[in-house]
Amino acid sequence: MFRRKLTALDYHNPGDFDCTDETQYRNCVVWLEDQKIRHYKIEDRGNLRNVPSSDWPAAYQKYLQDLSCPFGAQEKQESVDWLLGLAVRYEYGDNVDKYKNCEPLAASGNSDKTVDPLLNLDSSSPDFKAGVTALVNILKIQRHDDYLVMLKAIRILIQEKLSPEAISRASQSTEGIPVALDKHTLGFDTGDATLNEAAKILRLLHIEELRELQTRINEAIVAVQAIIANPKTDYRLGKVGR
């Protein structure tokens, strides 16, 4: 599951690493800290290096918290995958000159063809599942049994909230249209002119919220219609539908 990252980090047995083996798992974490991440000073790594200790899980949990890891010690696959990704990033940062001149994979083949990075994507791969789970936890997205559905939700969130265009739109201040309150009828009288003005403002804000809600409902209806449109007919059953 982690072979490619371990290989990139020159781990001694990347192909034989078993995350479910507690000893291998702990030794790998210690190796990452000692050789690649180096978050702690050498003298502060004692608890983490004490692999046989029953207190190691607590030391590991503290280590993850100190690194601001979004996963806990109980989430073994996710946390070690996150540590491997961090180690790869540090490895690149320490050897920028070594890696910046590497030839891209796309250049090694036909330069006229665009390489699709998702062409060989295996949705059943443990690496894929761990990566999607990590993103879902970071972005606080609801989990789903289908990892492709979660990936689609991640894409939608990034496009709508985190893309440069979305950030630019969010940073722009929207000025409202001036409204003459004296031209709007409240429909009732509170007995206080100030309260009447406040009630008119609240009514106008409520109407605006209803319009926004109706727009979202219309968008949802369109999305559902796109899914259920063009139903297939099975004449043998005498029914219309998928």
Side-chain angles (χ1 to χ4, degrees):
M1 176 178 179
F2 312 105
R3 180 178 55 81
R4 288 182 296 177
K5 292 180 181 178
L6 289 171
T7 301
L9 294 169
D10 294 327
Y11 192 65
H12 54 278
N13 59 341
D16 298 328
F17 175 70
D18 183 5
C19 184
T20 61
D21 187 307
E22 191 67 24
T23 301
Q24 288 191 40
Y25 181 79
R26 296 185 181 188
N27 284 328
C28 180
V29 170
V30 174
W31 181 85
L32 287 172
E33 168 60 19
D34 282 342
Q35 302 297 325
K36 303 298 178 181
I37 299 176
R38 301 187 291 275
H39 181 73
Y40 288 159
K41 296 180 180 179
I42 296 177
E43 57 270 21
D44 296 333
R45 300 174 189 171
N47 292 334
L48 197 63
R49 286 176 170 175
N50 191 8
V51 173
S53 173
S54 59
D55 296 329
W56 191 88
Y60 180 47
Q61 179 63 39
K62 183 179 183 302
Y63 177 63
L64 294 175
Q65 292 175 350
D66 292 341
L67 288 173
S68 299
C69 176
F71 305 105
Q74 300 299 323
E75 299 171 289
K76 289 186 175 182
Q77 291 188 356
E78 291 86 351
S79 61
V80 76
D81 184 68
W82 187 87
L83 290 176
L84 287 170
L86 181 65
V88 169
R89 181 157 59 90
Y90 286 166
E91 176 71 13
Y92 175 80
D94 292 340
N95 302 276
V96 175
D97 294 335
K98 174 183 176 182
Y99 296 112
K100 69 179 182 179
N101 295 323
C102 290
E103 183 181 4
L105 293 177
S108 61
N110 190 345
S111 58
D112 296 333
K113 295 182 178 180
T114 302
V115 177
D116 184 358
L118 302 181
L119 183 61
N120 297 319
L121 181 63
D122 181 8
S123 60
S124 63
S125 167
D127 284 336
F128 172 80
K129 293 181 178 180
V132 171
T133 302
L135 288 173
V136 163
N137 290 335
I138 292 173
L139 298 174
K140 307 299 182 183
I141 296 176
Q142 179 66 39
R143 292 201 179 193
H144 192 277
D145 293 336
D146 191 335
Y147 285 85
L148 289 176
V149 171
M150 289 194 291
L151 182 61
K152 184 177 181 180
I154 292 169
R155 176 182 62 81
I156 294 174
L157 176 63
I158 291 175
Q159 288 179 338
E160 294 184 353
K161 302 295 184 181
L162 302 179
S163 65
E165 295 80 7
I167 295 175
S168 176
R169 288 195 302 268
S171 61
Q172 295 175 355
S173 59
T174 304
E175 296 183 359
I177 300 174
V179 176
L181 294 179
D182 56 343
K183 295 183 178 180
H184 292 269
T185 303
L186 180 60
F188 60 89
D189 186 7
T190 64
D192 187 293
T194 303
L195 288 178
N196 286 343
E197 296 289 312
K200 289 180 181 179
I201 294 173
L202 289 175
R203 170 170 286 184
L204 291 173
L205 291 174
H206 179 59
I207 292 174
E208 180 65 24
E209 290 179 350
L210 289 177
R211 288 176 177 172
E212 183 178 354
L213 177 61
Q214 183 62 54
T215 299
R216 294 184 178 181
I217 292 174
N218 292 340
E219 292 175 350
I221 292 174
V222 172
V224 172
Q225 288 176 340
I227 296 174
I228 64 175
N230 191 23
K232 297 179 180 179
T233 303
D234 190 341
Y235 296 101
R236 296 172 300 175
L237 299 177
K239 296 180 180 179
V240 177
R242 293 185 182 276

